[in-house]
Amino acid sequence: MTKLIIRFYPDLIAAICGLLIIPWVIGVPGHPTQTVLSGWTLGLIAMGSYLVIYQCVKSFKASALYKKNASFQQPVTAILNMAALCLVPAMLVALLLLFYVE
């Protein structure tokens, strides 16, 4: 069960980012403070960066070089898992900045 969760965690995070990025790109509603704008920017950069890393890793996994060379498989998967794990705290900080009340 744990291996199944670890295997699909990056895909789940990518799906959540894919759904969140559309409203995030639309912009900050109302008259935001500098703190809210910082949270919005951090979230946008974090989600955009993760989606780029995710797509690069998935494209590389489909390449012939990856399939021929077994030594690439563990580091490439580790990069994707690390990016997925780092995204969650970054998004929590962004959400905290969004809902920070002065």
Side-chain angles (χ1 to χ4, degrees):
M1 182 69 176
T2 305
K3 287 188 178 190
L4 185 68
I5 292 171
I6 291 171
R7 189 172 173 200
F8 288 113
Y9 181 72
D11 298 327
L12 176 67
I13 295 296
I16 292 170
C17 284
L19 292 173
L20 277 178
I21 202 152
I22 298 298
W24 217 279
V25 167
I26 290 174
V28 182
H31 302 286
T33 62
Q34 187 61 37
T35 307
V36 173
L37 285 175
S38 297
W40 208 266
T41 304
L42 175 66
L44 184 63
I45 290 171
M47 284 189 296
S49 300
Y50 178 73
L51 289 174
V52 167
I53 291 170
Y54 179 81
Q55 188 58 44
C56 289
V57 167
K58 288 296 183 175
S59 296
F60 183 66
K61 280 185 173 183
S63 72
L65 177 65
Y66 179 81
K67 292 177 183 175
K68 286 181 191 175
N69 231 340
S71 64
F72 284 143
Q73 293 176 359
Q74 188 176 8
V76 169
T77 304
I79 289 170
L80 185 60
N81 288 338
M82 186 57 69
L85 288 174
C86 291
L87 179 73
V88 174
M91 287 305 295
L92 286 175
V93 169
L95 288 173
L96 286 173
L97 288 173
L98 282 177
F99 297 115
Y100 176 74
V101 179
E102 292 182 8

